[in-house]
C-alpha cells in the first residue's frame, strides 16, 4: 500500500508538505454521486493551517489519484486530558469535485444572471433531440463550466474528452438541481459521469459503464464476497399510461387537448396499470411522453433488490478489473446468479493495518437497477412541475 495525502487550494495549487502521521482514512467513491470520506490525524499546527475552508484533499494511491475534492468539514477537533492526547485529534470530512457540480441549479437562460431570468412562469431550458452525453456536457458547461457566467464557473473545471456514448434524448429543465437533471439524461442508457483531477485541471466527463458479468464475478467460493441479501417481488406496474397535453385549467390556443401514450412491459407477471401525469407536455413529437413511461417502467418493474459487499482479492480488484457503474455478477449461496451494477467503491486504510477495498453492488432499495431513476423521476416531478412554476 502506498498512500499519499496532499492539500491544494481551489485552483489546484499544492500547499505545504504531504500529510503524514494520519491514523485513519476512509473514502467512498459513488456512482453518479459525490464521494464521501474522512481523514483522522493529529492536530499539529501545520495541519490545522492546511485544513481550511476552500481547500481540497488529494488522495494518491499507488501513484494515481484515487479521489480529489473539497474539504466539507475541514476540522472536527477533539482533545481529552485523560488520554494524554498531545495536540489532540482532527477529523476532516471531504468529498470529490463532483460535489462542486452538485451545488448548482439549471438556469433557464444560462447566459443571464439570476435576477435577469425571463419572467414567464413555465419558461424552461430545452435541449432537444440530441445525444445524452452532449446534453449532460452542455448542462455542466453552461451552468458551472467554462461556458458559464464568470461568477458561476468552478475553478479549473473543464470538459473531458468526448466519449461518444448515449442515445438521443430531449431535456427540459428550470431551476432544478444540476446533477438530478444529469442523472435524468443518463438514466436510460445507464451512463456514468464523474470528475477527475488531471494535472492542474478538474475534468468532467461522461462514460458508458462496461458489462463485466463474464469476468467480474463474486462468490463465497472465490473468497471475494463478504455479505449478500436478495429479494424478488411483483412489479408495481406493467402498463405505464402517460397522459400529456395542455393543462385544462389554463387558457390555450388551439383548444385544450389530451395526448395519451402507453408503454407496456413484456413480463410474466399480471397486468398492473399506472397513470403518469405529464400535463403541460403538448405531444410526443420529441419523445418526452414515451421517455416518461420508460423511466417509470424501469422503476416499477419486478422488485428485485440486491445488497452486496465484496472485497478485493489479487485476482479481482476495484479500479483495475471493474469500476463504478460496471455490471458484475454475484453468485448467491443458493446458486442463483444475479447481475447488478457497482454503486460504491470504498477504501479504508490505517498505517498499522494497511488498506482494505470493498465494493457495494446493487442497492438495498427496491429495484436496484432503477433506484436512481426513481429518485430522478420524483425530484423531476416535484421540482420541475411544482416548485419551479
Amino acid at each position: 500500500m502506498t498512500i499519499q495525502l496532499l492539500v491544494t487550494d481551489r485552483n489546484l495549487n499544492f500547499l505545504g508538505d504531504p500529510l503524514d502521521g494520519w491514523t485513519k482514512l476512509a473514502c467512498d467513491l459513488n456512482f453518479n454521486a459525490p464521494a464521501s470520506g474522512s481523514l483522522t490525524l493529529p492536530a499539529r499546527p501545520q495541519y490545522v493551517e492546511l485544513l481550511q475552508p476552500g481547500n481540497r484533499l488529494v488522495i494518491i494511491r499507488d501513484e494515481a489519484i484515487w479521489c480529489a475534492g473539497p474539504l466539507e468539514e475541514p476540522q472536527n477537533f477533539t482533545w481529552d486530558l485523560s488520554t494524554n492526547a498531545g495536540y489532540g485529534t482532527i477529523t476532516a470530512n471531504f468529498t470529490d469535485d463532483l460535489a462542486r457540480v452538485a451545488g448548482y441549479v439549471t438556469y433557464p437562460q444560462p447566459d443571464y444572471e439570476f435576477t435577469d431570468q425571463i419572467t414567464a412562469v413555465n419558461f424552461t431550458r430545452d435541449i432537444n433531440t440530441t445525444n445524452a452525453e452532449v446534453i449532460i456536457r452542455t448542462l455542466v458547461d453552461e451552468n458551472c463550466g467554462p461556458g458559464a457566467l464568470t461568477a458561476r464557473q468552478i475553478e479549473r473545471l473543464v470538459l473531458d474528452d468526448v466519449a461518444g456514448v448515449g442515445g438521443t434524448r430531449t431535456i427540459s429543465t428550470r431551476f432544478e438541481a444540476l446533477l438530478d437533471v444529469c442523472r435524468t439524461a443518463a438514466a436510460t442508457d445507464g451512463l456514468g459521469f464523474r470528475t477527475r483531477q488531471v494535472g492542474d485541471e478538474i475534468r468532467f466527463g461522461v462514460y458508458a459503464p462496461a458489462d463485466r458479468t463474464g469476468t467480474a464475478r463474486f462468490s463465497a467460493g472465490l473468497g471475494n464476497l463478504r455479505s449478500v441479501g436478495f429479494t424478488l417481488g411483483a412489479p408495481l406496474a406493467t402498463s405505464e399510461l402517460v397522459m400529456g397535453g395542455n393543462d385544462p385549467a389554463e387558457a390555450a390556443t388551439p383548444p385544450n387537448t389530451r395526448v395519451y401514450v402507453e408503454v407496456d412491459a413484456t413480463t410474466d407477471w399480471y397486468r398492473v396499470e399506472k397513470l403518469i401525469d405529464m400535463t403541460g407536455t403538448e405531444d410526443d413529437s420529441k419523445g418526452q411522453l414515451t421517455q416518461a413511461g420508460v423511466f417509470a417502467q424501469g422503476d416499477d418493474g419486478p422488485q428485485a433488490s440486491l445488497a452486496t459487499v465484496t472485497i478485493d482479492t489479487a485476482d479481482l480488484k476495484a479500479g483495475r478489473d471493474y469500476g463504478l457503474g460496471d455490471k458484475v455478477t454475484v453468485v448467491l449461496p443458493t446458486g442463483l446468479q444475479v447481475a447488478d451494477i457497482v454503486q460504491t467503491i470504498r477504501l479504508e486504510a490505517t498505517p498499522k493495518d494497511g488498506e482494505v477495498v470493498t465494493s457495494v453492488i446493487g442497492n438495498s432499495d427496491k429495484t436496484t437497477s432503477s433506484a436512481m431513476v426513481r429518485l430522478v423521476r420524483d425530484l423531476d416531478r416535484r421540482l420541475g412541475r411544482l416548485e419551479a412554476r
Side-chain angles (χ1 to χ4, degrees):
M1 173 191 71
T2 302
I3 293 179
Q4 188 177 38
L5 305 176
L6 301 167
V7 176
T8 77
D9 62 18
R10 64 183 60 205
N11 287 297
L12 277 61
N13 298 308
F14 288 100
L15 306 174
D17 296 323
L19 303 177
D20 56 13
W22 55 276
T23 57
K24 185 177 181 180
L25 172 68
C27 179
D28 288 353
L29 304 180
N30 299 309
F31 180 57
N32 288 358
S36 62
S38 63
L39 170 68
T40 301
L41 68 171
R44 297 172 184 168
Q46 63 268 35
Y47 297 161
V48 174
E49 183 179 354
L50 291 174
L51 299 175
Q52 295 293 329
N55 287 346
R56 301 167 65 255
L57 181 69
V58 180
I59 301 173
I60 299 176
R61 176 177 179 250
D62 295 334
E63 301 183 353
I65 294 179
W66 176 265
C67 179
L71 295 165
E72 290 191 306
E73 189 177 75
Q75 298 183 25
N76 185 340
F77 172 78
T78 58
W79 182 89
D80 188 341
L81 178 62
S82 65
T83 62
N84 191 25
Y87 288 112
T89 299
I90 288 179
T91 298
N93 295 321
F94 60 90
T95 181
D96 62 7
D97 292 306
L98 193 61
R100 294 286 308 274
V101 179
Y104 286 76
V105 299
T106 57
Y107 279 15
Q109 293 177 292
D111 294 337
Y112 292 83
E113 301 286 351
F114 177 73
T115 53
D116 295 327
Q117 294 295 307
I118 195 167
T119 56
V121 173
N122 291 322
F123 184 82
T124 59
R125 170 68 170 107
D126 297 332
I127 306 177
N128 297 322
T129 56
T130 190
N131 174 271
E133 179 187 8
V134 173
I135 290 175
I136 297 169
R137 290 168 60 92
T138 299
L139 288 169
V140 171
D141 182 39
E142 66 188 21
N143 284 287
C144 62
L149 297 172
T150 300
R152 302 186 75 206
Q153 292 178 7
I154 294 175
E155 297 88 352
R156 313 306 301 170
L157 180 66
V158 299
L159 298 180
D160 211 336
D161 296 336
V162 175
V165 296
T168 299
R169 303 282 175 267
T170 294
I171 288 291
S172 295
T173 181
R174 173 184 172 84
F175 297 128
E176 297 175 79
L178 177 54
L179 279 197
D180 290 340
V181 186
C182 290
R183 293 186 189 110
T184 299
T188 301
D189 298 305
L191 300 181
F193 49 82
R194 61 194 169 196
T195 56
R196 59 193 185 105
Q197 180 176 336
V198 180
D200 61 353
E201 295 179 334
I202 300 170
R203 298 185 183 179
F204 175 89
V206 182
Y207 66 99
D211 184 343
R212 302 190 187 280
T213 51
T215 57
R217 298 173 60 85
F218 301 89
S219 71
L222 292 173
N224 55 14
L225 185 61
R226 275 193 166 182
S227 65
V228 61
F230 177 72
T231 63
L232 180 63
L236 301 179
T238 61
S239 296
E240 309 291 349
L241 310 177
V242 187
M243 179 177 66
N246 296 321
D247 190 343
E250 299 179 1
T253 303
N256 293 312
T257 58
R258 284 294 189 185
V259 178
Y260 301 102
V261 172
E262 181 173 356
V263 178
D264 282 324
T266 301
T267 178
D268 293 330
W269 295 91
Y270 44 82
R271 181 179 176 89
V272 181
E273 298 176 342
K274 181 177 180 180
L275 181 65
I276 301 173
D277 188 355
M278 290 289 290
T279 296
T281 302
E282 296 182 359
D283 56 48
D284 199 35
S285 60
K286 298 177 182 178
Q288 290 172 284
L289 299 181
T290 298
Q291 182 170 287
V294 172
F295 282 172
Q297 187 179 76
D299 178 35
D300 294 334
Q303 300 296 285
S305 176
L306 176 69
T308 301
V309 177
T310 70
I311 188 169
D312 266 9
T313 64
D315 296 327
L316 189 61
K317 290 182 177 292
R320 185 191 71 185
D321 303 308
Y322 65 92
L324 288 172
D326 288 353
K327 182 176 286 188
V328 298
T329 298
V330 177
V331 183
L332 307 183
T334 61
L336 178 66
Q337 297 188 24
V338 181
D340 213 325
I341 66 172
V342 179
Q343 297 282 0
T344 298
I345 298 176
R346 180 176 180 83
L347 168 66
E348 295 180 283
T350 66
K352 178 181 178 181
D353 299 326
E355 67 176 34
V356 175
V357 177
T358 59
S359 298
V360 177
I361 300 168
N363 193 301
S364 59
D365 293 336
K366 292 295 185 181
T367 315
T368 59
S369 62
S370 306
M372 192 62 71
V373 177
R374 179 176 63 251
L375 171 64
V376 171
R377 187 198 66 186
D378 289 345
L379 286 173
D380 183 64
R381 279 187 187 162
R382 290 201 306 271
L383 299 178
R385 299 189 175 278
L386 297 177
E387 287 92 331
R389 288 194 171 190

